[in-house]
């Protein structure tokens, strides 16, 4: 008989994504980590991974992150998939549950990707209805994540941030703020990353994701790819610091899905996120009058995020950069926005 765990809140600390190559080491070492996040679809059946998660759930708080529900589908949610997600949540009692503002299912075909929506009233009605169904099914608040984007629909009538803010009003859902996704989208589509964050309702943000990205050159333009395959780059750490100063500490995940490193590298990134959050929290308590002003102390040490340091430097070096993502996006990376008709 499957074990049912008691509810365990996810703390305002850094956690790591549980990846298969680390499971045995996690069970044997039980290293210090604030919490774990799993992809829901990997734990919907019976497998050795599910048995291992039962062991780890005895030690760590858990976040369940869905990647296959397709909240943007006009045909509604797959009820079988939704039921499987409900059973995972009942069994493991996660402190947080999240999904993406995306679609991946159309006319019965499942696409192995998270695709963007056209941000308009019609799409908002569809997503709100699906989020209502999801939250009613799970009997809990679900956190919706912003996408990384490479194209934008020319006939959208609102920004993704405005769409998410309105979705919160209509459904009382929470938000999962992926800081790397904001940075990648801002560079690729040429918008102000900080303005995007400022448009979100801070009180609704209940989880943060951090990750690395790849830098590719295409037809003379540099395009950032959200590949989760490297350390968190300096510019993303800088934007994370901006988020911390604006909304305070939140449960923060280090995502790493390709070229997965040794466990200690992942734990080191999480430790750095905790140190940054603690430092900014201390600064805000000590000097509340300047808590939201830009920190200019390390301007002489600023590094370009396209340098090799973005993917190879230790976080301590990365933290000394003061790259302004919006300026970087408009001047150095993307020369024009890309629009899909």
């Amino acid at each position: 008989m499957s074990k049912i765990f008691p509810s365990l809140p996810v703390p305002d600390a850094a956690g790591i994504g549980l990846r298969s190559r680390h499971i045995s080491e996690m069970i044997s070492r039980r290293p210090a980590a604030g919490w774990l996040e799993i992809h829901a679809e990997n734990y919907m059946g019976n497998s050795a991974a599910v048995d291992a998660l039962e062991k780890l759930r005895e030690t760590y708080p858990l976040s369940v992150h869905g990647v296959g529900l397709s909240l943007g589908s006009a045909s509604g949610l797959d009820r079988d998939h939704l039921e499987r997600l409900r059973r995972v949540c009942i069994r493991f009692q996660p402190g947080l549950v999240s999904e993406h503002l995306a679609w991946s299912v159309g006319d019965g075909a499942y696409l192995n990707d998270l695709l963007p929506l056209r941000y308009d009233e019609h799409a908002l009605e569809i997503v709100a209805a699906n989020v209502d169904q999801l939250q009613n099914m799970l009997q809990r608040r679900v956190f919706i994540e912003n996408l990384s984007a490479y194209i934008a629909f020319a006939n959208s009538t609102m920004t993704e941030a405005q769409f998410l803010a309105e979705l919160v009003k209509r459904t009382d859902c929470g938000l999962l703020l992926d800081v790397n996704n904001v940075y990648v989208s801002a560079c690729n589509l040429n918008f102000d990353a900080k303005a995007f964050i400022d448009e979100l309702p801070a009180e609704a943000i209940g989880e943060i994701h951090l990750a690395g990205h790849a830098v590719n050159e295409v037809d003379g333009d540099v395009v950032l790819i959200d590949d989760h395959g490297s350390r968190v780059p300096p510019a993303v750490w800088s934007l994370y610091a901006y988020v911390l100063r604006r909304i305070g500490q939140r449960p923060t995940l280090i995502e790493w899905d390709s070229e997965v490193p040794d466990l200690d590298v992942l734990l080191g990134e999480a430790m750095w996120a905790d140190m940054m959050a603690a430092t900014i929290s201390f600064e805000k308590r000590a000097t509340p009058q300047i808590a939201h002003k830009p920190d200019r102390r390390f301007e002489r040490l600023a590094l370009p995020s396209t340098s090799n340091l973005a993917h190879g430097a230790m976080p301590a070096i990365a933290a000394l950069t003061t790259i302004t993502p919006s300026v970087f996006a408009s001047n150095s990376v993307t020369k024009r926005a890309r629009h899909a008709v």
Side-chain angles (χ1 to χ4, degrees):
M1 181 176 177
S2 300
K3 182 176 181 179
I4 304 296
F5 293 88
S7 179
L8 189 58
V10 172
D12 287 343
I16 61 173
L18 182 62
R19 301 297 175 256
S20 57
R21 68 163 292 192
H22 297 148
I23 287 177
S24 296
E25 189 176 358
M26 286 291 300
I27 291 174
S28 61
R29 284 178 51 192
R30 307 289 171 127
W35 48 284
L36 302 178
E37 183 167 279
I38 61 165
H39 288 170
E41 285 74 10
N42 293 335
Y43 296 87
M44 288 181 170
N46 294 315
S47 66
V50 173
D51 296 338
L53 182 60
E54 284 202 339
K55 294 183 176 68
L56 292 171
R57 180 61 180 80
E58 294 172 352
T59 302
Y60 300 99
L62 186 68
S63 172
V64 167
H65 189 46
V67 297
L69 205 48
S70 191
L71 290 177
S73 288
S75 57
L77 303 181
D78 182 322
R79 296 188 65 83
D80 290 338
H81 189 106
L82 193 55
E83 173 60 21
R84 289 191 288 269
L85 176 61
R86 188 183 72 87
R87 291 176 182 172
V88 170
C89 292
I90 289 175
R91 183 173 186 178
F92 291 103
Q93 293 295 311
L96 295 168
V97 178
S98 55
E99 248 292 353
H100 297 83
L101 180 62
W103 69 276
S104 56
V105 179
D107 294 331
Y110 287 77
L111 307 172
N112 188 28
D113 209 341
L114 298 169
L115 300 171
L117 302 169
R118 186 179 64 218
Y119 301 122
D120 61 12
E121 179 60 31
H122 181 58
L124 186 57
E125 290 176 359
I126 290 170
V127 175
N130 288 340
V131 170
D132 279 338
Q133 184 183 1
L134 172 61
Q135 293 189 136
N136 288 336
M137 185 75 168
L138 301 185
Q139 289 294 294
R140 64 186 302 153
R141 194 180 202 192
V142 175
F143 296 82
I144 308 302
E145 178 181 352
N146 57 292
L147 278 191
S148 56
Y150 312 95
I151 60 171
F153 287 92
N155 52 356
S156 287
T157 58
M158 61 185 85
T159 67
E160 184 186 20
Q162 291 167 342
F163 191 98
L164 286 166
E166 187 61 28
L167 186 64
V168 170
K169 287 181 184 177
R170 297 190 186 192
T171 69
D172 196 33
C173 69
L175 297 178
L176 192 171
L177 173 59
D178 191 311
V179 177
N180 182 60
N181 285 356
V182 175
Y183 183 75
V184 166
S185 298
C187 291
N188 290 338
L189 303 181
N190 196 22
F191 64 78
D192 188 326
K194 291 180 179 177
F196 180 103
I197 292 166
D198 290 344
E199 283 194 280
L200 300 177
E203 68 282 359
I205 299 172
E207 185 179 342
I208 293 172
H209 279 184
L210 298 173
H213 56 254
V215 181
N216 289 355
E217 183 172 335
V218 179
D219 295 333
D221 281 345
V222 174
V223 179
L224 305 189
I225 305 296
D226 178 36
D227 68 347
H228 298 179
S230 57
R231 291 183 186 275
V232 179
V236 176
W237 282 120
S238 179
L239 191 58
Y240 178 55
Y242 177 81
V243 172
L244 290 172
R245 290 189 172 95
R246 181 173 180 270
I247 72 171
Q249 192 168 2
R250 297 289 194 277
T252 297
L253 178 78
I254 303 296
E255 286 188 299
W256 205 317
D257 294 308
S258 61
E259 305 295 332
V260 177
D262 291 343
L263 178 60
D264 284 338
V265 175
L266 208 56
L267 294 169
E269 294 280 281
M271 183 177 66
W272 181 253
D274 278 337
M275 291 172 60
M276 180 177 283
T279 300
I280 291 174
S281 177
F282 175 81
E283 288 177 355
K284 290 176 70 173
R285 291 196 305 271
T287 56
Q289 72 279 10
I290 60 170
H292 295 285
K293 292 183 178 180
D295 188 344
R296 305 294 187 191
R297 291 175 297 170
F298 303 117
E299 282 188 337
R300 289 190 299 112
L301 297 174
L303 302 174
S305 68
T306 50
S307 76
N308 291 334
L309 284 171
H311 301 286
M314 292 298 292
I317 298 175
L320 295 178
T321 67
T322 55
I323 295 169
T324 303
S326 58
V327 174
F328 175 69
S330 59
N331 294 345
S332 302
V333 176
T334 303
K335 305 303 181 187
R336 58 180 173 80
R338 298 168 179 80
H339 295 280
V341 177

